[in-house]
Amino acid sequence: MIAAYARHGRMIHAKTTFDAAPRRNSSSWNAMIAGYAQNGHCKAALHLFRAMNNEGQRCDMVTFVAAIDACAGLSALVAGRSLHSIAAAAGLVAHVEISTAIVNMYAKCGNLDDATIVFSSIRNKNLISWSTMITAFVQNGHTDRALDAFLAMNVDGLFPDAVTFKSILSACSHAGLFEHGFFHFDLLVHDFGITPTMDHFKCMVDLLGRSGRLLEAEELVQTMPFVPDDVTWNTLLAACRVHKSVERGKRAAEVLLELTSEIPGYYVLLSNIHAAAGDHAEKAKVRDLMEARGVRKKPGWSTIEINDRFHEFTAGEKFQHPKKQQILEELKRLSVLMKEDGYVPDTTEVLRLVNEDEKESLLFFHSEKLAIACGLISTPPGTTLRVVKNLRVCSDCHSATKFISKITGRKIIVRDLNRFHHTENGVCSCGDYW
Ligand SMILES: [Zn+2]
Ligand SMILES: [Zn+2]
């Protein structure tokens, strides 16, 4: 029953059933911990894992996989590393499921070195381990290594499936590898006989769009054998913004806002297209439309792990933290240094009807900036900061993070909704396209 509730995301029912059980064995604990991890309640999963240990209940492979997945979900490097050593001491890392989960955990913490070491030590790698490693390379911006791993996997005698191909195609599109992308799409259809899914087509639209082949991208959206969803139209719209294709962008946005009207990011993109074309009357119309429809930005939050403890920040000046005063002072100090270094707040993604100064102060309190400042004042110089953000990083925070990494000499890793940003000495691994 616990597992069934968890499968349907009903975690409160699952927990009530778990608590009411007269006796609990490792299966009930496992179902509960895995349920939490799979439904994104990673903190609760780890909490329960500790409780299970305290009660002297024996942990098995399933428990470890669920707990390690929870660490991956949280980007909890300290907790994840300690689970890795416990699993190693218990002789569990010989199981491919456990070692693959560990590879994924290190990768989701932005720690590719350890992910690669663990991956190399797996003797009986299966398709899931290879796909995990390839996706890790892609999300962390190492396209070459993703393509090499794809080749090595074939040499190893394993055939890629639809999921592996999706990773490879998105690697090609992130890196703008036009020919490689088409080569692999062809390979997928003709050599491996896989029927391409909508995800594969989306990668191809992205690839065409990034390469500036907007006409072909638009044609592909209209002719693909699926009814294009909002994400597909958004991919085209994003490309139109980068390549300043106003008319095509407007067409895409029209369909997009017809399909889904409640995602604020879509309005922001359209508004940016008008702003880039210097059409401020149209830009204002987009903002009015958004307000008339009552579209609200999802509240942003970020977490940072400092000495095995998580600090969570919500956006806005009302955030709560015991070190609030020092965090604000650190941000102010940095802001002066950044401006001396050439930083100009990028207010293009702020749609609220406020003046430029107010826009700047809205940006100042974005949750990832608060988390980074907290990390800086709470860790010794040189410590890498790892931040997880629930939304896509905005262009201002992206640029601010680059300046901060340069000024403080810190490596800052931000994992946002889509990918990782490894920022070091003023440069981000995403190449500023995310
Ligand atoms: Zn931001
Ligand atoms: Zn980046």
Side-chain angles (χ1 to χ4, degrees):
M1 274 178 76
I2 296 169
Y5 278 133
R7 250 198 311 281
H8 294 277
R10 296 176 178 261
M11 293 316 294
I12 294 174
H13 288 86
K15 185 68 172 36
T16 318
T17 313
F18 177 80
D19 288 340
R23 271 179 303 137
R24 299 182 199 117
N25 60 14
S26 55
S27 305
S28 32
W29 283 94
N30 287 347
M32 200 59 223
I33 295 171
Y36 274 140
Q38 282 151 14
N39 283 286
H41 303 287
C42 299
K43 257 181 164 170
L46 282 185
H47 188 77
L48 208 63
F49 175 74
R50 291 193 186 113
M52 180 178 179
N53 280 294
N54 291 343
E55 285 205 7
Q57 189 65 246
R58 215 179 66 84
C59 298
D60 59 15
M61 214 174 72
V62 182
T63 335
F64 271 102
V65 170
I68 293 166
D69 282 349
C71 293
L74 288 165
S75 280
L77 185 61
V78 179
R81 207 187 278 291
S82 113
L83 279 177
H84 180 188
S85 34
I86 299 171
L92 286 170
V93 286
H95 293 283
V96 66
E97 291 85 354
I98 295 259
S99 38
T100 301
I102 295 172
V103 170
N104 180 48
M105 180 273 295
Y106 280 126
K108 290 276 155 54
C109 293
N111 192 332
L112 262 190
D113 291 344
D114 284 328
T116 321
I117 292 170
V118 176
F119 178 74
S120 316
S121 73
I122 305 179
R123 256 178 285 145
N124 45 346
K125 300 179 182 71
N126 59 20
L127 191 56
I128 301 173
S129 1
W130 279 103
S131 290
T132 303
M133 196 64 235
I134 292 172
T135 308
F137 284 137
V138 176
Q139 287 181 330
N140 285 285
H142 293 270
T143 312
D144 291 357
R145 296 173 77 184
L147 289 171
D148 286 349
F150 181 76
L151 257 180
M153 167 183 154
N154 282 279
V155 172
D156 214 30
L158 280 167
F159 293 132
D161 62 359
V163 180
T164 334
F165 269 108
K166 191 193 154 196
S167 289
I168 282 300
L169 291 179
S170 68
C172 296
S173 75
H174 281 317
L177 299 174
F178 194 78
E179 259 120 52
H180 272 79
F182 272 85
F183 170 77
H184 284 96
F185 190 78
D186 195 58
L187 210 61
L188 155 96
V189 180
H190 294 114
D191 293 65
F192 289 93
I194 299 172
T195 311
T197 64
M198 175 115 95
D199 280 336
H200 298 125
F201 278 99
K202 273 180 209 164
C203 291
M204 297 315 282
V205 171
D206 193 39
L207 186 63
L208 287 164
R210 280 181 201 234
S211 322
R213 304 192 182 203
L214 295 173
L215 175 66
E216 289 158 83
E218 191 179 23
E219 278 173 0
L220 185 59
V221 172
Q222 286 159 344
T223 57
M224 62 191 228
F226 301 93
V227 178
D229 62 358
D230 57 319
V231 180
T232 315
W233 285 107
N234 183 48
T235 307
L236 180 63
L237 181 59
C240 292
R241 182 184 67 104
V242 173
H243 297 287
K244 300 194 173 33
S245 173
V246 180
E247 287 311 314
R248 187 171 284 117
K250 280 202 262 184
R251 279 203 297 278
E254 221 161 82
V255 191
L256 179 58
L257 294 180
E258 195 71 31
L259 276 174
T260 2
S261 57
E262 66 267 27
I263 298 182
Y266 296 165
Y267 295 86
V268 175
L269 263 182
L270 177 59
S271 140
N272 284 347
I273 287 186
H274 289 308
D279 195 338
H280 293 283
E282 283 296 317
K283 184 182 170 185
K285 268 194 208 161
V286 176
R287 190 192 55 229
D288 292 345
L289 179 67
M290 190 173 158
E291 280 183 7
R293 289 178 172 178
V295 183
R296 288 258 166 274
K297 241 185 122 178
K298 216 166 124 188
W301 55 256
S302 298
T303 58
I304 182 166
E305 185 191 36
I306 299 168
N307 305 325
D308 199 18
R309 291 216 33 204
F310 280 91
H311 300 251
E312 192 167 323
F313 294 91
T314 47
E317 53 190 315
K318 290 198 185 112
F319 76 96
Q320 290 184 348
H321 193 274
K323 285 189 186 166
K324 182 164 181 169
Q325 215 40 49
Q326 290 118 288
I327 291 172
L328 292 179
E329 274 160 26
E330 176 68 2
L331 266 184
K332 273 188 207 133
R333 184 186 77 85
L334 285 171
S335 154
V336 174
L337 293 174
M338 280 154 62
K339 283 184 179 162
E340 280 172 11
D341 206 22
Y343 160 77
V344 182
D346 178 353
T347 56
T348 49
E349 290 189 30
V350 183
L351 273 192
R352 296 258 294 273
L353 187 57
V354 289
N355 67 34
E356 280 302 305
D357 284 350
E358 285 167 303
K359 282 185 182 173
E360 256 193 71
S361 85
L362 282 173
L363 290 171
F364 186 82
F365 291 106
H366 276 187
S367 62
E368 55 270 57
K369 292 197 185 85
L370 303 173
I372 289 172
C374 177
L376 288 171
I377 57 169
S378 316
T379 54
T383 312
T384 299
L385 303 181
R386 294 188 160 76
V387 175
V388 180
K389 158 103 201 214
N390 69 328
L391 308 170
R392 173 186 172 272
V393 170
C394 84
S395 56
D396 182 66
C397 288
H398 195 262
S399 128
T401 308
K402 293 199 291 183
F403 277 100
I404 295 173
S405 74
K406 192 169 151 212
I407 293 167
T408 60
R410 298 278 193 124
K411 218 170 157 179
I412 304 172
I413 304 174
V414 179
R415 166 178 160 195
D416 76 2
L417 200 57
N418 305 322
R419 53 167 36 255
F420 287 78
H421 303 271
H422 291 256
T423 314
E424 199 175 2
N425 200 20
V427 182
C428 182
S429 63
C430 77
D432 299 336
Y433 199 126
W434 75 102

